[in-house]
Amino acid sequence: MASHRKLRAAAVVCAAVAVAGPASAAAWAAPPAAVRAAVQETAPLQPVPSPSPDPFADLTPDEIVDRAVTATQSATSLRMAGRVVSEGQRLDIDFAVNERDECTGLMRIDGGTAELRRVDDFTYMKGDEAFWRVSMTSQGMSKPQIDATIELVKGRWLKIAPGQAGSSDLSGVCDLQGLLASLDEDKAEPGTLVRGPDGEVDGTPVATLVKKETGTETTAPETTTAPGTAEPEPAKPETTTVSVSQEGKPYILKMVKTGGEEPGSMTLSDFDKPVDVVVPPASETVDLSKLGGTSA
């Protein structure tokens, strides 16, 4: 039926939009010039003494970043956690991903929570009512459409098979190699990085690399301002800090961006640790194909 096809499409659109944040969050694993996403406010790193000897003593900031990129790209799994912004919506994320494109994690948006799992090429997504309502409302769906869709997926996992509409958008969140490939994109111009004070991330000593954007300040998109309304203030210049482990492999452990239109932070951890993804029971899933429509 046409109504079922619309409901199916609506559910997929909501899922794809909801996870756009985590997909974007992966770009935080890139060096300073490639950072994209807005995240939770975090306290600055506290300066601590460098390890003796300093493993990066003879390296330039650019060389440290190159080593960090190489090390991070070699990871067979990792965990990313933070708060990202996708098209004005703030999402908290906490995902573990491995090289087999398997993942498991949580996302929160405006008080709503959803869990995402991917294993054996199938993607499973389960959101609470608040999550689905926020996601679907942001897409302009009517209340009757939202109510009907929620009734179909309430308390259940939405099961999405390869080739079904929305599957590629969702699977991209769990594509570890694809996420890490962005590390080689949009690297900072040579010489624009400086080494800041050393610090710690979750007890691990780190070297910090800082990049400050120069030039004119960023302004909001041009819009018509109503009489008597103040013009939007220009965003402050961006400063991005990348924290690189000084113990073991020089993994990128944290990225923080202040200023600009999208300030925020993202933490990477659990490198090379097993990612255990549990397939939801069949009795608790609803197959996307059961909502009508055909594969896409």
Side-chain angles (χ1 to χ4, degrees):
M1 296 175 62
S3 60
H4 282 184
R5 288 196 296 273
K6 291 180 180 179
L7 291 173
R8 175 192 63 82
V12 175
V13 167
C14 291
V17 169
V19 299
S24 300
W28 282 88
V35 174
R36 302 283 186 273
V39 185
Q40 64 195 51
E41 296 178 357
T42 56
L45 292 172
Q46 296 300 314
V48 297
S50 299
S52 183
D54 178 358
F56 306 128
D58 298 327
L59 300 179
T60 66
D62 294 300
E63 290 171 336
I64 296 173
V65 166
D66 285 341
R67 289 197 179 188
V69 168
T70 299
T72 306
Q73 285 183 328
S74 73
T76 58
S77 64
L78 58 81
R79 176 184 176 186
M80 62 176 72
R83 178 178 294 165
V84 301
V85 169
S86 176
E87 298 185 2
Q89 287 189 315
R90 295 171 58 170
L91 294 88
D92 291 289
I93 68 162
D94 191 342
F95 276 87
V97 190
N98 67 22
E99 63 183 350
R100 296 189 297 277
D101 295 346
E102 298 173 336
C103 72
T104 181
L106 294 172
M107 64 187 77
R108 296 181 179 87
I109 176 171
D110 293 343
T113 302
E115 185 174 356
L116 180 72
R117 299 179 188 176
R118 180 176 171 79
V119 61
D120 297 331
D121 294 328
F122 284 86
T123 303
Y124 302 85
M125 188 171 187
K126 182 180 182 180
D128 60 18
E129 183 171 337
F131 177 85
W132 288 120
R133 286 195 182 281
V134 169
S135 300
M136 289 186 276
T137 298
S138 70
Q139 293 302 298
M141 290 178 58
S142 67
K143 187 177 184 300
Q145 284 180 308
I146 294 174
D147 291 342
T149 305
I150 288 177
E151 194 61 33
L152 290 170
V153 298
K154 184 189 303 182
R156 304 169 109 186
W157 292 85
L158 189 63
K159 180 180 179 181
I160 306 173
Q164 289 183 322
S167 62
S168 59
D169 295 316
L170 291 163
S171 63
V173 180
C174 305
D175 179 5
L176 178 62
Q177 296 307 314
L179 305 183
L180 295 181
S182 65
L183 291 170
D184 283 327
E185 300 173 1
D186 302 322
K187 285 189 177 181
E189 291 295 325
T192 60
L193 290 174
V194 297
R195 182 167 177 177
D198 291 344
E200 285 188 351
V201 174
D202 295 332
T204 300
V206 295
T208 63
L209 293 310
V210 182
K211 177 179 182 294
K212 294 185 178 182
E213 296 289 347
T214 58
T216 58
E217 295 184 339
T218 304
T219 57
E222 184 176 346
T223 57
T224 302
T225 304
T229 303
E231 293 287 342
E233 295 183 2
K236 296 180 180 179
E238 293 178 358
T239 297
T240 305
T241 302
V242 176
S243 299
V244 180
S245 177
Q246 292 178 307
E247 292 183 349
K249 291 185 178 182
Y251 290 126
I252 295 173
L253 300 186
K254 190 172 186 178
M255 287 72 64
V256 177
K257 184 167 69 171
T258 59
E261 296 181 356
E262 299 180 330
S265 167
M266 183 62 60
T267 300
L268 303 181
S269 62
D270 293 351
F271 294 93
D272 302 318
K273 292 186 177 181
V275 176
D276 184 21
V277 185
V278 179
V279 177
S283 60
E284 298 178 12
T285 67
V286 54
D287 196 315
L288 182 63
S289 64
K290 303 301 182 184
L291 302 186
T294 58
S295 299

